[in-house]
Amino acid sequence: TSTKITPPPSMLRRSAAILLFATCYGGAAAMEALPGYKTLFEVIKAGGGTRKIIVGDRVTVHATGTVKETGKKFWSTKDPGQKAFTYNAGVAQVITGWDQGCLGMSVGEVRKLDIPADEGYGASGFPAWGIPANGGLQFEIEVVSIDLKK
């Protein structure tokens, strides 16, 4: 004879909650540190091709930025009336965390960046965009194109 073991309802609810969390949030993927920086990144979607962003490339991206402490979106190229953003990589045309966090990405790749204030807008913040003094930032960035360094 076999004995059927039924877990208590509280254990079933807990297991369901863990499974739901893992399904919705991609499991336990950890953010990685950028060597020499405090900014962290996570690859959300791998890109195609072997060409990676290097210093001096002209890069076009879609980006959505939020204030880490409040979750408030302050900018998105995907909002109505906005368009993809183009900049020169690795030459300080954008905040440090973004500049360094995008190096090595390929076309189609999507990364989440977790940028501390000192690699973002610092002690001044960016009040016009609702970024407070010493506010951390989170960006989701998708590479649209990479024009080779000349």
Side-chain angles (χ1 to χ4, degrees), residues 45-100:
K45 178 184 163 204
T50 57
R51 178 68 170 93
K52 308 283 186 189
I53 297 172
I54 61 172
V55 172
D57 283 345
R58 187 128 179 97
V59 181
T60 300
V61 299
H62 275 297
T64 299
T66 58
V67 176
K68 185 174 180 177
E69 292 78 9
T70 64
K72 179 183 177 281
K73 179 176 73 171
F74 59 84
W75 178 61
S76 179
T77 60
K78 294 185 176 186
D79 284 347
Q82 297 291 315
K83 62 180 183 172
F85 177 75
T86 301
Y87 71 103
N88 293 315
V91 296
Q93 286 188 341
V94 294
I95 58 174
T96 300
W98 171 321
D99 213 12
Q100 298 302 311

Side-chain angles (χ1 to χ4, degrees), residues 100-113:
Q100 298 302 311
C102 290
L103 293 176
M105 290 180 75
S106 61
V107 172
E109 184 172 335
V110 178
R111 280 189 189 179
K112 179 178 179 182
L113 301 178

